[in-house]
């Protein structure tokens, strides 16, 4: 319609992504930002602080040779990000972009978040069953065919799940940005770099908007 070649459009879009990323650089979480956030939170009170962590999958276009991003749990291809919120569900930090094939236990360790959280004894860390074995995390009890849950364990699970519900709300707020919900489609040669840039810009936009409230 506008007699503009596809390659020209691609170059313009690529340039715009770079501009957005540069402008939003201060709002895109980095590895050291979680330390600063936690230090600030803990300096404001002497009481323990509940911290909620969960992983979410950002759908990306599927390629036959892209097995590292295929999530067996979700039965789709995507990237895993680890989301940290407070007990009200307000996003505090989003971890690095990792292959979607890995489970949350691997991702929280690989992202460095587990190591950071383990430094603070006043943090009460909550996660779902995917975080079983993570240092000092409180997670629901698991049942099995030969070891059903006791009444006490069922009640404890209900309490843990009720406390960690806000993190799901926080992720839902993040995914108001439709590209994080519906998926990223690209056939670019530098596909991984493009996907990482798009997700980073979207996360930066979210934190920018949150800072304006």
């Amino acid at each position: 319609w506008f007699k503009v070649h596809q390659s020209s459009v691609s170059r313009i879009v690529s340039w715009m992504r770079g501009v957005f990323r540069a402008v939003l650089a201060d709002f895109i979480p980095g590895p050291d930002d979680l330390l600063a956030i936690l230090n600030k939170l803990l300096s404001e009170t002497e009481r323990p602080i509940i911290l909620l962590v969960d992983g979410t999958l950002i759908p990306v276009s599927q390629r036959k040779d892209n097995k590292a991003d295929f999530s067996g749990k979700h039965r789709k291809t995507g990237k895993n990000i680890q989301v940290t919120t407070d007990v009200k569900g307000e996003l505090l930090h989003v971890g690095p972009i990792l292959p979607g094939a890995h489970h949350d236990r691997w991702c929280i360790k690989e992202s460095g978040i587990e190591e950071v959280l383990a430094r603070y004894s006043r943090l009460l860390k909550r996660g779902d069953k995917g975080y079983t074995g993570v240092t000092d995390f409180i997670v629901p009890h698991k049942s099995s065919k030969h070891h059903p849950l006791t009444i006490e364990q069922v009640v404890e699970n209900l309490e843990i799940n009720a406390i960690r519900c806000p993190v799901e709300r926080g992720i839902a707020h993040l995914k108001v940005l439709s590209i994080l919900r519906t998926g990223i489609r690209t056939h670019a040669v530098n596909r991984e770099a493009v996907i990482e840039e798009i997700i980073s810009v979207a996360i930066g936009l979210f934190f920018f908007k949150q800072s304006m409230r």
Side-chain angles (χ1 to χ4, degrees):
W1 288 354
F2 300 102
K3 297 183 179 180
V4 180
H5 198 274
Q6 176 62 47
S7 60
S8 298
V9 175
S10 297
R11 281 196 300 272
I12 293 169
V13 170
S14 179
W15 173 79
M16 289 179 66
R17 283 200 310 269
V19 171
F20 275 114
R21 185 164 191 171
V23 171
L24 294 167
D26 291 341
F27 298 95
I28 298 173
D32 297 329
D33 290 333
L34 183 57
L35 275 171
I37 291 165
L38 295 177
N39 287 335
K40 183 176 183 297
L41 285 175
L42 292 168
S43 69
E44 294 171 351
T45 179
E46 295 182 356
R47 294 185 296 179
I49 293 175
I50 296 176
L51 210 64
L52 311 176
V53 182
D54 201 3
T56 188
L57 192 76
I58 308 298
V60 301
S61 55
Q62 188 168 353
R63 294 175 65 173
K64 291 182 180 179
D65 60 343
N66 192 28
K67 295 180 180 179
D69 285 338
F70 183 77
S71 169
K73 175 182 176 180
H74 298 279
R75 306 305 299 171
K76 64 174 65 173
T77 303
K79 297 292 184 180
N80 183 296
I81 55 173
Q82 296 291 300
V83 177
T84 305
T85 75
D86 62 16
V87 75
K88 297 178 181 178
E90 177 144 344
L91 258 71
L92 302 175
H93 184 265
V94 176
I97 300 155
L98 299 168
H102 295 287
H103 49 73
D104 288 332
R105 176 66 186 89
W106 182 90
C107 289
I108 193 172
K109 182 177 181 180
E110 185 68 16
S111 66
I113 294 174
E114 179 181 6
E115 182 182 353
V116 171
L117 297 184
R119 300 180 188 182
Y120 300 91
S121 59
R122 281 200 289 132
L123 289 180
L124 303 177
K125 292 150 279 190
R126 301 289 195 277
D128 61 22
K129 294 176 184 177
Y131 294 93
T132 300
V134 179
T135 307
D136 296 331
F137 260 58
I138 298 173
V139 300
H141 298 283
K142 284 186 175 181
S143 64
S144 66
K145 181 179 180 181
H146 300 291
H147 296 89
L149 297 180
T150 64
I151 297 297
E152 291 79 7
Q153 288 174 327
V154 170
V155 172
E156 285 180 13
N157 281 3
L158 290 172
E159 291 174 349
I160 293 170
N161 289 331
I163 291 171
R164 60 170 300 277
C165 260
V167 72
E168 303 287 352
R169 188 166 64 249
I171 290 173
H173 288 163
L174 176 64
K175 288 192 171 183
V176 164
L177 296 165
S178 61
I179 197 165
L180 299 181
R181 186 177 67 253
T182 60
I184 300 166
R185 298 171 181 82
T186 177
H187 299 287
V189 176
N190 56 336
R191 179 177 181 274
E192 291 298 311
V194 170
I195 290 172
E196 191 271 338
E197 193 168 51
I198 292 171
I199 295 175
S200 296
V201 167
I203 292 170
L205 282 169
F206 178 87
F207 279 109
F208 171 74
K209 180 181 177 182
Q210 184 170 274
S211 72
M212 301 299 288
R213 290 196 308 219

